[in-house]
Amino acid sequence: MPADDAIVQLIRAGWTEEAFERLVPAYRRRVFGLAYSLLRDRGAAEDTTQEVFVKLWQALPRYDGRARLSTWIYAITRNATISALRGRRRPVSMSDPAVFDEVEYRSATIDAGPEDAALWRHVAALPEKQRQAVILYYQDERPVDEVAAMMGLPVNTVKTHLHRARASLAAALGAGGGLT
Amino acid sequence: MNSDDPKFAALDARMRRMMAGLDAQAGFEARVMQRVAAKAARAGAVSPDLRAQFERRREIVQRRLRREAWSNAITIAGIGVAAGALVWRYAEQIVRWATASDLLATNGTAVLLAIAFAAVGAALWPLRTRLPGLLK
């Protein structure tokens, strides 16, 4: 990725502040998407995304280039998100769709019609890895290998999750006549 | 992924539209920079405090070492004075003993010099590491 190369060159030259200024807009959506796909709450995802960038700002001078910049950032994001999940007072699980529905319906469907709200609910009801793969895949029409890098999983595993998720959502879309 | 499959085409279009809005709220960069600046300010505030603490500790240790150096010097000087006073007090007996043992009769000057050097050396030996402390 050319943007990554420029950022890495700035870090190596000791220009970490300049590197950080480029890194934030380059990774904002990806970090937010990854945090959101696990947390399922926009407020918490935004807070975690900020936390991740503060961590990156602190760790940037120690980045040694052994791992790809994106891989390094995704690992930090996953760890921060898992910590945020553990730190929640009341754990929210996929087996508790009512909680997810409530949060998602209010935060994600402000501008959406009832059809999209129903689709959100089906996304919410997917198993965790499938839901994560679907969110990251569609957020920016990412290639599967990038989704796999973000999730820290093999490409074929992500392909399987995506295939199952899409089949399940397409079936729901068909059965619901557009999920109204 | 098979986006051309008509089974998925409608789904893909809707999902892309829905997920496109998944982003941090406007002004995110500014908020991150604020958080970073606050963190940096806190880190900067701790640093002088730690420096001051270190300086205070260093000053305390230096004072303690100086005090110890003085007390050691006074102890050694006291022992020296006491030894001198003893020699002065019992000078006659010492001379009598030395004369009676024929030690001075045979090698008088050499023995006296050796005793004098040994006494001075013994008195100064403990001072060899204390001198820098005394000079401060």
Side-chain angles (χ1 to χ4, degrees):
Chain A
M1 214 173 281
D4 279 9
D5 292 342
I7 293 167
V8 171
Q9 277 177 4
L10 284 168
I11 297 168
R12 285 192 178 140
W15 296 80
T16 47
E17 282 183 28
E18 286 74 7
F20 185 71
E21 278 171 17
R22 289 194 188 197
L23 188 141
V24 177
Y27 277 90
R28 188 196 66 234
R29 272 181 73 85
R30 282 181 273 180
V31 170
F32 181 85
L34 187 50
Y36 176 84
S37 70
L38 280 162
L39 290 163
R40 296 168 286 155
D41 173 358
R42 282 178 186 237
E46 166 122 7
D47 201 47
T48 303
T49 306
Q50 284 190 27
E51 194 62 43
V52 167
F53 281 112
V54 172
K55 280 179 197 285
L56 287 171
W57 171 72
Q58 288 174 311
L60 218 49
R62 296 194 299 275
Y63 173 69
D64 56 12
R66 273 185 296 179
R68 283 177 61 186
L69 185 69
S70 57
T71 309
W72 184 64
I73 292 171
Y74 297 147
I76 289 174
T77 306
R78 282 196 302 271
N79 290 337
T81 310
I82 289 163
S83 296
L85 272 172
R86 285 187 188 141
R88 276 180 171 169
R89 283 183 192 164
R90 197 162 58 91
V92 179
S93 71
M94 276 314 294
S95 59
D96 190 3
V99 175
F100 183 87
D101 280 358
E102 186 56 32
V103 171
E104 263 325 290
Y105 189 79
R106 278 194 278 150
S107 62
T109 62
I110 293 164
D111 304 322
E115 289 182 13
D116 283 349
L119 187 53
W120 269 114
R121 286 198 185 93
H122 279 280
V123 173
L126 290 170
E128 187 181 279
K129 295 292 179 196
Q130 289 185 28
R131 188 188 68 246
Q132 220 188 331
V134 147
I135 290 173
L136 295 173
Y137 176 70
Y138 284 114
Q139 187 195 15
D140 275 326
E141 297 184 44
R142 292 191 178 96
V144 179
D145 57 351
E146 199 187 337
V147 175
M150 291 173 87
M151 292 175 70
L153 292 174
V155 174
N156 284 336
T157 309
V158 173
K159 274 185 182 167
T160 306
H161 287 315
L162 260 178
H163 178 75
R164 287 179 184 160
R166 291 169 84 220
S168 171
L169 290 172
L173 199 67
L179 291 168
T180 45
Chain B
M1 292 285 111
N2 44 357
S3 297
D4 297 334
D5 188 334
K7 193 173 77 173
F8 292 118
L11 172 74
D12 287 345
R14 284 180 63 177
M15 287 295 287
R16 279 191 197 109
R17 184 167 44 80
M18 270 170 47
M19 299 297 170
L22 267 186
D23 198 354
Q25 288 181 351
F28 175 82
E29 274 88 349
R31 285 194 297 282
V32 167
M33 292 305 179
Q34 270 178 358
R35 217 157 143 168
V36 163
K39 197 105 180 170
R42 275 203 299 277
V46 167
S47 182
D49 188 47
L50 279 177
R51 254 199 307 277
Q53 221 175 57
F54 173 75
E55 289 298 328
R56 272 201 303 278
R57 278 167 185 271
R58 198 172 65 164
E59 184 59 34
I60 288 166
V61 169
Q62 274 183 344
R63 246 183 284 150
R64 186 167 57 80
L65 287 174
R66 244 175 280 154
R67 225 180 11 248
E68 280 179 6
W70 274 111
S71 90
N72 287 341
I74 288 165
T75 308
I76 289 160
I79 290 168
V81 168
L86 277 173
V87 170
W88 184 261
R89 169 73 180 77
Y90 296 104
E92 277 182 36
Q93 284 91 325
I94 293 167
V95 169
R96 217 178 300 135
W97 167 77
T99 314
S101 67
D102 279 346
L103 193 67
L104 289 176
T106 48
N107 287 312
T109 317
V111 169
L112 280 175
L113 275 174
I115 289 169
F117 276 125
V120 170
L124 292 178
W125 183 256
L127 285 175
R128 78 199 191 285
T129 54
R130 303 290 177 191
L131 283 174
L134 283 170
L135 294 172
K136 274 186 184 173

